[in-house]
Amino acid sequence: MPRSPILRPRRPALLVIAMAAFGLIAGCDTPSPDKGCEIGTIGRMPLYSLHNVPVVRASLNHHPVLFEVDTGAFNSVLSDRYIDMLGLTLASGYVRVTGAKGTEFQNVTQVDDIGLGGATNTNHGFAVTSSVFATLRPPLPPLVGLLGAEILLASDLVMDMPHHEMQLLDMRRCPLPAPLWKGPLHRVAITSDLDTMKIGLTISIDGSKPIKAVLDTGASRTILPLRFARRLGVTDAMLAQDRSDTQFKAIGSDKVTAWHHRFKSLTLGDFTIYDPEVFILSSDDLDYALFGADFLKEHRLWVTTRGEMYVQHISEIPQETPTLPQ
């Protein structure tokens, strides 16, 4: 299997808020010569990494902001500390949200205008959390929350951390299989469940049987429930040798321990990551592993709406090749 460098917490939020159809937003179409392929560029945004979690520039009600990019969150979320700054009001009632540290209830607010790199969405609902996001100093805009799966899964999602770019693409008029990249590619079968808003995949750790997982770019590391680790032969004595902490970011208020455990390998599709560090959670609230965002540092990925995800290591990207068709 192709060898990938060492792989260097958060949760899926469970709520439903109405979403405007981003796929209908006008963008610029890029025809591909001689192949009859037209790509609708819905939004193109600068992409950064903050504590191993991807962050993009956007705007809310014409205020420049930053968002974490969290494919593991059911819906997009705003921090309550920015409600007044953005001129928002809270709706009556609450929504129930479940995460790695338990359950909490959150308010809801409606945003008049969201700008995502050329795309505009209106009247979009956000959950409101009391969780604290990182405080950034000017000239950086504030980090106000996270973009969830109801936005990110509405179209093809391209995250290219090596070139600091994220795109939302409309591929409906392109009969060719994505991605339109040159160089070696690694195909990963995925499921996109629009009822649960999860990108499902399978991983293998140290040659294990397939493990059900969810792509969660809001998780800074791959996360494994304790009972899954037990099946892989992880003992209490082994965990006692690992560094552990309880101060990690996740929905809920339950006390949960995360052990930083090294495995020999983690296989995804047709490539293997060696010596990965995985968070093992003492909580067994999750019924699946979370494949986290730390691998994005040296990989780009293209998540399609057609049941496939493509991954390319930075060493496999031809230098003369642009990150996406221009």
Side-chain angles (χ1 to χ4, degrees):
M1 295 180 181
R3 185 181 180 96
S4 182
I6 296 173
L7 191 74
R8 290 289 181 251
R10 222 130 161 126
R11 59 315 77 224
L14 303 179
L15 63 132
V16 179
I17 301 176
M19 168 194 161
F22 269 88
L24 300 180
I25 299 172
C28 56
D29 292 328
T30 306
S32 179
D34 304 322
K35 294 183 179 179
C37 172
E38 292 186 0
I39 301 174
T41 303
I42 298 171
R44 182 193 299 263
M45 290 148 279
L47 181 67
Y48 312 101
S49 179
L50 181 64
H51 307 306
N52 278 337
V53 174
V55 174
V56 292
R57 285 182 177 264
S59 67
L60 282 183
N61 290 348
H62 308 291
H63 292 272
V65 297
L66 294 174
F67 279 112
E68 292 182 3
V69 182
D70 192 345
T71 59
F74 193 107
N75 272 94
S76 300
V77 175
L78 287 179
S79 169
D80 58 5
R81 67 185 295 187
Y82 296 108
I83 293 297
D84 291 339
M85 183 199 84
L86 297 169
L88 302 175
T89 57
L90 299 178
S92 60
Y94 298 86
V95 291
R96 182 175 180 269
V97 184
T98 300
K101 288 187 175 182
T103 298
E104 64 181 47
F105 291 88
Q106 297 179 347
N107 290 107
V108 177
T109 190
Q110 184 166 296
V111 175
D112 293 334
D113 182 279
I114 310 172
L116 296 174
T120 301
N121 191 6
T122 57
N123 300 322
H124 193 90
F126 281 78
V128 179
T129 181
S130 58
S131 298
V132 178
F133 292 86
T135 300
L136 306 178
R137 295 181 179 180
L140 290 174
L143 178 60
V144 300
L146 59 87
L147 295 179
E150 93 286 8
I151 289 176
L152 301 173
L153 300 191
S155 60
D156 277 31
L157 169 66
V158 180
M159 301 183 68
D160 188 348
M161 190 65 74
H163 297 93
H164 304 292
E165 182 174 75
M166 186 178 97
Q167 287 216 37
L168 302 174
L169 299 177
D170 181 356
M171 300 292 292
R172 291 175 297 178
R173 286 179 286 175
C174 182
L176 303 176
L180 305 181
W181 288 338
K182 294 182 179 179
L185 298 173
H186 308 285
R187 178 187 175 276
V188 179
I190 61 172
T191 58
S192 297
D193 190 331
L194 297 182
D195 291 327
T196 61
M197 289 293 179
K198 291 183 177 67
I199 301 172
L201 44 84
T202 58
I203 61 175
S204 175
I205 296 179
D206 289 355
S208 70
K209 294 180 180 179
I211 298 171
K212 180 181 177 182
V214 167
L215 176 66
D216 187 354
T217 59
S220 63
R221 296 287 191 279
T222 291
I223 293 176
L224 198 64
L226 180 58
R227 69 181 185 281
F228 284 42
R230 297 292 193 203
R231 297 170 192 163
L232 298 175
V234 177
T235 65
D236 288 339
M238 296 167 68
L239 293 177
Q241 301 299 314
D242 292 334
R243 180 166 61 94
S244 64
D245 66 70
T246 59
Q247 302 301 313
F248 62 94
K249 189 176 178 183
I251 286 177
S253 57
D254 297 348
K255 184 177 180 180
V256 177
T257 299
W259 290 277
H260 302 227
H261 190 79
R262 289 280 179 184
F263 289 95
K264 294 179 181 178
S265 64
L266 187 154
T267 300
L268 178 71
D270 68 347
F271 74 99
T272 297
I273 299 165
Y274 293 91
D275 195 31
E277 182 182 75
V278 176
F279 282 4
I280 298 176
L281 293 192
S282 60
S283 168
D284 275 336
D285 290 340
L286 296 175
D287 294 325
Y288 41 80
L290 300 178
F291 187 70
D294 41 347
F295 86 110
L296 289 175
K297 181 179 179 180
E298 295 185 330
H299 297 82
R300 62 179 178 179
L301 64 83
W302 187 316
V303 182
T304 76
T305 58
R306 302 174 182 177
E308 297 173 326
M309 180 175 76
Y310 293 89
V311 180
Q312 192 172 48
H313 184 257
I314 189 171
S315 66
E316 299 167 327
I317 304 173
Q319 291 186 0
E320 73 278 8
T321 302
T323 59
L324 286 171
Q326 299 293 319

